[in-house]
């Protein structure tokens, strides 16, 4: 890990993530060194607002610390406990998070330069979540590159992520923009 300079900041973020009561640390955390450290926190946006789903009314937070590498922590609260024990795929997508439009999120953010793209948990940011008995979940990812700024999203899917990166229908998203 080349996070030695930013690790104090990271630990502070991690502490906040671990405690649901302090979920509201705020918007952007000023970077202590070169690079970025953000907390994105909001209600999830529903891709099918007219239909009932397990993430209706749920909220989430992504903590993203990126220098030359990236550490991401994804926390979700308020999920329907009827799906406790189930795992849902979640990934950083290139496009924005738009309620009612799963397509707007575009594809996975992928760092590889191969043709076709190399798809795995080191070329993309995968954050699959398993819902606990209280309707909460947390996951994390670490990759040795940093995503470019933009209006992006963390998309939650209906199924766990398969080795080829697919995870079924798009259910909801968290907007992440920096
Ligand atoms: Cu995805």
């Amino acid at each position: 890990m080349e996070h030695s300079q930013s690790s104090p900041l990271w630990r502070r973020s991690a502490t906040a993530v671990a405690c649901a009561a302090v979920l509201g640390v705020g918007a952007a955390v000023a970077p202590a060194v070169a690079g970025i450290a953000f907390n994105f926190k909001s209600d999830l946006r529903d891709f099918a607002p007219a239909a009932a789903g397990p993430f209706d009314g749920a909220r989430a937070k992504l903590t993203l610390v990126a220098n030359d590498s990236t550490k991401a922590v994804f926390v979700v609260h308020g999920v329907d406990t009827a799906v406790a024990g189930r795992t849902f795929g979640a990934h950083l997508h290139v496009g924005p998070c738009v309620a009612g439009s799963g397509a707007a999120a575009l594809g996975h953010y992928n760092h590889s330069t191969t043709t076709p793209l190399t798809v795995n948990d080191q070329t993309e940011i995968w954050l699959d979540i398993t819902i606990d008995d209280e309707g909460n979940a947390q996951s994390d990812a670490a990759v040795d590159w940093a995503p470019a700024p933009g209006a992006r999203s963390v998309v939650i899917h209906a199924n766990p992520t398969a080795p080829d990166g697919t995870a079924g229908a798009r259910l909801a998203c968290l907007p992440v923009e920096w």
Side-chain angles (χ1 to χ4, degrees):
M1 294 280 283
E2 298 180 15
H3 272 150
S4 55
Q5 284 184 299
S6 60
S7 58
L9 179 61
W10 167 245
R11 287 196 194 96
R12 190 177 69 183
S13 298
T15 301
V17 166
C19 177
V22 288
L23 196 68
V25 168
V29 175
V33 294
I36 59 170
F38 291 127
N39 290 313
F40 306 99
K41 170 184 165 277
S42 72
D43 293 342
L44 290 174
R45 295 178 182 171
D46 194 343
F47 288 140
F55 293 94
D56 292 355
R59 58 202 187 277
K61 175 178 163 181
L62 179 74
T63 299
L64 191 66
V65 178
N67 287 305
D68 295 333
S69 59
T70 299
K71 170 87 174 178
V73 177
F74 187 47
V75 181
V76 182
H77 296 293
V79 183
D80 187 343
T81 55
V83 296
R86 270 183 59 185
T87 298
F88 297 86
H91 323 105
L92 180 68
H93 280 238
V94 172
C97 173
V98 179
S101 178
L106 304 176
H108 293 180
Y109 193 104
N110 186 300
H111 182 70
S112 73
T113 56
T114 58
T115 305
L117 293 173
T118 302
V119 176
N120 59 48
D121 67 0
Q122 289 302 297
T123 62
E124 302 183 347
I125 296 177
W126 291 3
L127 293 159
D128 285 28
I129 45 171
T130 299
I131 311 305
D132 72 14
D133 290 341
E134 267 87 52
N136 304 315
Q138 181 169 333
S139 61
D140 58 77
V143 296
D144 65 2
W145 45 271
R152 312 201 185 283
S153 52
V154 176
V155 172
I156 298 174
H157 296 256
N159 303 321
T161 303
D164 68 358
T166 60
R170 300 178 179 195
L171 302 181
C173 62
L174 173 72
V176 294
E177 181 172 0
W178 73 100

